[in-house]
Amino acid sequence: MKILGLPGRDQATVAWLQQLLSAITDGNHEVTLPSYRHWRSAQLPDPIHEADQVHALDVDLVVAKSMGTMVLLELLEKGVAPPAVVLIGVPLAGYSEAQTGGLKALVSRRPCLCIQQTDDFAGSYQQLAALLEGSEANLQEVSGSDHVYSDTAQLATLINAWLD
């Protein structure tokens, strides 16, 4: 299986995502993790630019955290259509109307697992559930309010159960 991991805005999410992906893979999978331009420069985060950097990848699964979910939506606009998607910490507070529409379209077109903290300050589980009401997305609530999602063992358990 080819997995694309799309980290969050902060470069520290790379190590977090590597730890998570190693817990959901058995070592026989190819994992790609991009390095975002704003980590190396004074430029602002730019999901469109980041999507341009990975748009040609052929993957079986995308695991996206926070800003990575925005990059994924841009990838979908460019025609990348991964068969399965895991979204962690969807930052609804930062989503535009177009991104909200893109998220609804995403979950209606492919298998999607959404993991959201109960009181995530960037968008609570209830807000995400209300937005995706009636969709076929698998929504999983985890405790927390800090948008960090530090319990990678719990996340891996949820993801592995969904993949099986």
Side-chain angles (χ1 to χ4, degrees):
M1 178 183 333
K2 294 180 182 177
I3 301 173
L4 173 61
L6 295 173
R9 179 181 181 151
D10 190 318
Q11 191 170 8
T13 60
V14 172
W16 170 88
L17 190 53
Q18 287 172 326
Q19 181 179 6
L20 175 61
L21 294 178
S22 70
I24 66 168
T25 63
D26 60 10
N28 293 325
H29 302 301
E30 181 182 323
V31 174
T32 301
L33 290 167
S35 176
Y36 296 154
R37 176 179 63 184
H38 70 272
W39 295 338
R40 302 178 308 275
S41 71
Q43 295 180 336
L44 294 173
D46 183 355
I48 295 170
H49 172 80
E50 302 310 338
D52 287 341
Q53 305 311 302
V54 296
H55 75 275
L57 294 178
D58 177 29
V59 297
D60 304 303
L61 174 67
V62 173
V63 178
K65 160 74 164 78
S66 191
M67 186 187 116
T69 69
M70 295 173 166
V71 175
L72 174 61
L73 294 175
E74 294 299 332
L75 286 170
L76 295 172
E77 288 292 316
K78 296 176 183 312
V80 173
V85 174
V86 176
L87 306 176
I88 302 168
V90 177
L92 293 175
Y95 266 37
S96 67
E97 189 174 317
Q99 289 168 321
T100 300
L103 178 61
K104 288 180 180 180
L106 166 67
V107 301
S108 71
R109 292 190 299 233
R110 62 194 29 85
C112 188
L113 170 64
C114 301
I115 302 171
Q116 198 77 6
Q117 289 178 334
T118 302
D119 295 311
D120 187 326
F121 67 81
S124 71
Y125 173 82
Q126 284 304 109
Q127 291 171 313
L128 184 62
L131 178 67
L132 301 180
E133 185 175 3
S135 76
E136 302 221 3
N138 182 328
L139 277 70
Q140 295 292 321
E141 181 177 11
V142 295
S143 64
S145 61
D146 60 8
H147 196 67
V148 176
Y149 297 83
S150 57
D151 190 346
T152 55
Q154 178 190 26
L155 299 177
T157 298
L158 292 171
I159 295 168
N160 284 328
W162 180 72
L163 289 172
D164 289 339

